[in-house]
Amino acid sequence: MIKIQPHIIQEGSVQFQLGEQKGNQIIYDFPKMLIYLEAKGKLLFGKNFKIYSEDEAILYKLCIYFIRDFETCRKLKIDPNKGILLSGPVGCGKTSLMQLLPFIVPHQNQHSLIPARNITFSFNKSGFKIIEDYGNNGFYCFDDLGVETTGRHFGKDCNVMGEILLSRYDLFLKRKIRTHTTTNLNAQELESRYGIRVRSRMRELFNLIAFDKESLDKRK
């Protein structure tokens, strides 16, 4: 059931209003979105979770994308029809943000966040069916792309996530189903890991949003 006022979110006894409804349009307020994201983050990840001021530029782009603000996306050179590739150093908060951000748009289809290494483990056990399962259906965010090992099933090696990304590209062309991913790798490392063909498809699949390489490890 579609929520009538998706910009008004209830968490326990506290109500968060993320913007104002004008006619059939919601005008979101970024500072209010940040307040909600920090509160929801504390509920999900513990009381020490916080939104860092140095991450607000990244968060602004991500929020604009998730709320489907097409005009601002165009100004920021973000293609709302593509997925997000969120890159940055270990511990900068990529996974937490991709878990958090769907909560600001409860009326939209939600992606499932799946660690890439878990997919490879499943391939090792179940074989090529796993590539079909994740490549041909569903709305996913593949977490920590590039840390997974090469898959091996009955003596055959396979770059599992590379094959899945090729399938997701075909899925994107045919059905416009987006894919998200997070990674610690830069463009050159991704190309080395998955090859030129996959890297080329990734440019068409994703908007690259990158944390500064000097971003703090927030887990320390």
Side-chain angles (χ1 to χ4, degrees):
M1 182 176 178
I2 296 176
K3 196 173 180 181
I4 302 301
Q5 295 180 303
H7 62 297
I8 299 176
I9 301 175
Q10 193 80 25
E11 295 289 350
S13 61
V14 181
Q15 187 179 87
F16 297 87
Q17 184 163 337
L18 308 187
E20 300 287 339
Q21 187 156 4
K22 296 185 178 180
N24 61 355
Q25 187 178 19
I26 298 169
I27 309 300
Y28 283 91
D29 184 313
F30 181 59
K32 290 180 180 178
M33 293 164 78
L34 291 181
I35 290 170
Y36 172 68
L37 286 169
E38 182 160 284
K40 184 66 175 179
K42 289 181 186 299
L43 290 173
L44 289 176
F45 309 121
K47 63 181 181 180
N48 291 328
F49 178 87
K50 65 176 289 188
I51 298 292
Y52 291 80
S53 58
E54 59 264 34
D55 295 339
E56 288 184 12
I58 292 279
L59 269 165
Y60 181 71
K61 290 180 181 180
L62 290 169
C63 285
I64 290 302
Y65 174 87
F66 273 90
I67 66 174
R68 318 297 287 155
D69 182 339
F70 298 116
E71 183 177 346
T72 307
C73 278
R74 187 173 65 252
K75 291 177 182 176
L76 296 175
K77 294 182 169 55
I78 295 171
D79 186 342
N81 297 311
K82 294 182 180 183
I84 293 293
L85 191 161
L86 187 58
S87 72
V90 172
C92 67
K94 303 181 296 296
T95 301
S96 297
L97 292 183
M98 292 306 286
Q99 288 176 289
L100 260 182
L101 282 156
F103 287 100
I104 66 174
V105 283
H107 55 301
Q108 293 184 17
N109 290 335
Q110 307 295 303
H111 61 253
S112 299
L113 190 140
I114 312 289
R117 63 196 299 270
N118 289 7
I119 296 174
T120 300
F121 293 153
S122 297
F123 173 87
N124 294 343
K125 179 180 179 182
S126 302
F128 288 87
K129 175 183 180 296
I130 297 301
I131 293 174
E132 184 176 333
D133 289 346
Y134 287 104
N136 297 344
N137 298 284
F139 185 20
Y140 296 110
C141 176
F142 299 124
D143 191 37
D144 267 347
L145 185 71
V147 304
E148 76 280 359
T149 59
T150 298
R152 189 170 180 82
H153 183 69
F154 283 112
K156 291 186 177 180
D157 288 346
C158 180
N159 191 328
V160 177
M161 291 308 304
E163 292 297 326
I164 287 173
L165 289 172
L166 290 174
S167 295
R168 298 295 299 185
Y169 174 74
D170 292 337
L171 185 66
F172 174 65
L173 291 182
K174 292 174 184 175
R175 295 169 53 193
K176 305 304 178 188
I177 294 178
R178 290 170 287 146
T179 303
H180 305 313
T181 188
T182 73
T183 185
N184 302 329
L185 306 186
N186 60 35
Q188 291 74 28
E189 290 167 331
L190 286 168
E191 185 170 310
S192 176
R193 180 74 175 79
Y194 298 107
I196 294 173
R197 184 176 176 221
V198 173
R199 176 60 185 142
S200 174
R201 298 294 187 266
M202 289 176 74
R203 291 189 186 97
E204 299 180 61
L205 272 173
F206 300 120
N207 295 284
L208 172 61
I209 297 180
F211 281 87
D212 189 279
K213 62 182 180 180
E214 304 299 328
S215 291
L216 296 173
D217 185 343
K218 301 172 179 73
R219 297 180 297 190
K220 291 182 178 178

